[in-house]
Amino acid sequence: MKEQLEKIRQEALDALDHAGDAAELDALRVRFLGKKGELTGVLKMMGKLSAEERPVMGQAANNVRAAIEEKLEQTRLALKEKALQARLAAETIDVTIPGEPVKLGHRHPMNKALDEAKEIFISMGFQILEGPEVELADYNFTRLNIAENHPSRDRSDTFYITDDESVLLRTQTSPMQIRAMEQIKQPPIRVLAPGRVYRKDEVDATHSPMFHQIEGLVVDKGITMADLKGTLEVLIKAMYGQESVVRFRPHHFPFTEPSCEVDVQCFNCKGAGCPMCKGEGWIELLGAGMVHPDVLANCGIDPDIYSGFAFGIGLERMAMRRFKINDLRMIFENDIRFLSQF
Ligand code: PHE
């Protein structure tokens, strides 16, 4: 019996030395220590032993079981460590290999120019308002004091949505003046309303049937032309540099009185005249004026108490000056080679 135990110990320790994984380990545990295992088989024969032999053999059997159990545990730990090492080796990454560069996009130059303008006006307390591109003729023309027979209402200039010409694609952001006054009702009103506008223009280097404007409107007590001039100078100097020279030139719009157009002195020739300003020395930037009393009255604001100014800036034009783009079409073509320059 003693030899049998010794044989089991030898075989078990040997076999465990060669176990390759957890499953083999488990099979060996069952083979040697399980209910029907080899050691149990020997213990079952203990009954045949004499009373003196029994405790000696019992002790010997326990020693063998302890030796096998210890070896099992050692092997289990060794296998676990081996598996971990193998996994670490397999999953090694070389952190020194240069990565694939991530291609980051950026904002479209139009959005950049728009965001710059928004920032400037937000800093002056303006709120940003958006409104519909499909607009009522009433808002786009009539309530802006634009006469029934005004040429801008012509079908050759305006995209009408309905045959009765009551609904159209807005030709300017100025209807937002009416919407702002309707919505806010009570001055002070300080609103900036950027958005798309549509006119029946052929596409060329300076025209597109769809373009963007930024409408500005301020209504309060005691607003004068001086406020208009000051506000627009802040914008133009922030956009084109503090040394910019600004000119206000008389003009006519049905919804402002008096009206003006605002030019900036050509930064290329400093007013002498060059191809960039078409020999003018000045570059036209926007239309503006004091809100016509009838327009205020149309919106329920008493022109005897309140006054206001409004302006409309062509955003493409502004972006083209700002980024020295000489063809309007490039702004809409989405050619990456062009866009990635800004
Ligand atoms: N809406 C005018 C245009 O499109 C510009 C403008 C806006 C003029 C506000 C005066 C006041 O030309």
Side-chain angles (χ1 to χ4, degrees), residues 172 174 177 199 213 215 253 255-256 287-289 310-312:
Q172 50 184 356
S174 296
Q177 292 183 32
R199 288 180 198 176
Q213 286 187 336
E215 194 79 9
F253 296 105
F255 39 93
T256 46
F311 56 87

Side-chain angles (χ1 to χ4, degrees), residues 23-322:
E24 275 180 47
L25 212 58
D26 213 49
L28 289 172
R29 177 197 301 280
V30 173
R31 179 180 151 198
F32 291 105
L33 302 181
K35 271 189 193 148
K36 292 174 185 162
E38 297 187 14
L39 189 63
T40 319
V42 174
L43 288 174
K44 275 178 186 158
M45 299 190 293
M46 295 267 277
K48 292 172 187 160
L49 295 176
S50 68
E52 301 91 69
E53 278 179 312
R54 217 174 284 155
V56 181
M57 276 306 146
Q59 181 65 46
N62 278 342
N63 286 345
V64 171
R65 169 179 289 276
I68 296 175
E69 273 173 353
E70 195 190 323
K71 181 75 178 177
L72 266 167
E73 180 60 13
Q74 278 174 8
T75 313
R76 192 183 65 78
L77 288 176
L79 284 176
K80 201 172 146 192
E81 176 65 17
K82 213 172 107 188
L84 176 65
Q85 291 307 331
R87 195 164 149 208
L88 285 176
E91 291 177 7
T92 301
I93 48 169
D94 183 351
V95 294
T96 65
I97 294 175
E100 297 256 325
V102 178
K103 273 199 191 129
L104 279 187
H106 61 74
R107 281 172 307 150
H108 191 281
M110 285 282 291
N111 282 323
K112 277 191 177 171
L114 176 58
D115 286 350
E116 284 180 13
K118 275 189 191 172
E119 277 305 311
I120 294 162
F121 282 101
I122 287 171
S123 77
M124 292 192 277
F126 283 62
Q127 86 186 76
I128 311 291
L129 218 61
E130 281 187 16
E133 291 168 30
V134 176
E135 183 56 283
L136 298 172
D138 193 39
Y139 285 74
N140 194 85
F141 294 129
T142 314
R143 291 174 73 181
L144 285 168
N145 227 11
I146 298 176
E148 285 301 329
N149 59 358
H150 193 278
S152 67
R153 290 193 184 235
D154 203 284
R155 274 174 177 268
S156 62
D157 287 330
T158 297
F159 292 104
Y160 284 99
I161 302 281
T162 56
D163 282 335
D164 67 359
E165 301 187 357
S166 63
V167 183
L168 44 74
L169 292 180
R170 66 180 176 191
T171 62
Q172 50 184 356
T173 44
S174 296
M176 287 306 293
Q177 292 183 32
I178 308 294
R179 288 184 178 275
M181 287 189 270
E182 267 191 349
Q183 197 174 315
I184 300 169
K185 292 190 181 81
Q186 197 53 44
I189 294 172
R190 263 186 244 128
V191 159
L192 197 72
R196 292 197 181 95
V197 302
Y198 302 84
R199 288 180 198 176
K200 284 193 181 172
D201 283 328
E202 293 293 330
V203 174
D204 65 26
T206 53
H207 292 87
S208 159
M210 186 284 292
F211 57 102
H212 297 74
Q213 286 187 336
I214 308 176
E215 194 79 9
L217 173 70
V218 171
V219 182
D220 203 352
K221 284 179 184 157
I223 297 293
T224 70
M225 197 85 182
D227 298 302
L228 170 64
K229 288 184 73 175
T231 305
L232 291 176
E233 272 197 41
V234 167
L235 168 75
I236 293 167
K237 290 191 167 166
M239 275 291 195
Y240 301 107
Q242 289 305 314
E243 66 291 344
S244 303
V245 183
V246 184
R247 175 174 82 172
F248 291 76
R249 177 166 44 76
H251 198 74
H252 171 77
F253 296 105
F255 39 93
T256 46
E257 182 59 37
S259 304
C260 62
E261 280 195 323
V262 181
D263 307 327
V264 62
Q265 194 176 68
C266 180
F267 33 76
N268 195 38
C269 62
K270 299 268 177 284
C274 72
M276 197 155 175
C277 56
K278 300 192 182 101
E280 300 274 329
W282 295 87
I283 294 168
E284 184 195 317
L285 287 183
L286 57 96
M290 300 306 292
V291 182
H292 196 293
D294 289 352
V295 174
L296 290 176
N298 283 345
C299 299
I301 292 174
D302 186 345
D304 290 333
I305 301 177
Y306 295 105
S307 57
F309 68 78
F311 56 87
I313 310 169
L315 184 55
E316 280 77 7
R317 227 185 237 186
M318 192 166 76
M320 285 167 77
R321 305 267 140 77
R322 174 79 178 70

